[in-house]
Amino acid sequence: MTAGMLPLILGACEGWTEIRWKSPESATAKQQWFTDPELAENHARSLDGKAEVWFSAATRMRKGGSKQDVQEIPGFWADADDEASCQESENFLPPTLRIETSPGHQQLWWLFNEPLLLESDELINTVEATLRGIAHRIKADPA
């Protein structure tokens, strides 16, 4: 994980950030929750080279992974996990951040001026539709 990445992305957001990881010898992922993006990043960086690590793109109002737990998003994002999606992203709105997560894999972020509070099902549905649209347009991972 690039130093300073989580504070840059999630620093203005309120709520819980999930760090999830899976080591090669484990069949299940583990998770830990943080309210401070710098502490979350420190934990993720401590796992570097030992496990595959993910972080939640949205903060949560409580420690949970459902739509009803989501609190804020710092922007829109997409995972360009192959050469085709990385190339397609070059022909799209330039992202605020383009992070190489591993060779040939990028995470793209279009950060907002301030976090978006997801306070209604309608807004959550709109965000999900926008994320699917971005993924479709750049041929990225739709998950």
Side-chain angles (χ1 to χ4, degrees), residues 79-131:
D79 290 324
D81 286 336
D82 57 33
E83 188 176 329
S85 58
C86 289
Q87 286 180 337
E88 280 297 317
S89 73
E90 296 290 339
N91 300 316
F92 190 64
L93 178 68
T96 312
L97 292 172
R98 182 183 296 271
I99 302 160
E100 184 176 49
T101 55
S102 62
H105 298 245
Q106 298 176 355
Q107 190 171 65
L108 311 171
W109 282 91
W110 295 269
L111 296 174
F112 304 145
N113 289 331
E114 58 187 56
L116 178 63
L117 179 62
L118 299 178
E119 46 192 359
S120 72
D121 288 341
E122 181 180 358
L123 186 53
I124 290 171
N125 292 337
T126 300
V127 166
E128 288 179 326
T130 302
L131 292 171

Side-chain angles (χ1 to χ4, degrees), residues 53-66:
V53 180
W54 305 270
F55 69 92
S56 55
T59 58
R60 311 300 170 120
M61 61 184 79
R62 60 189 153 266
K63 298 175 184 179
S66 73

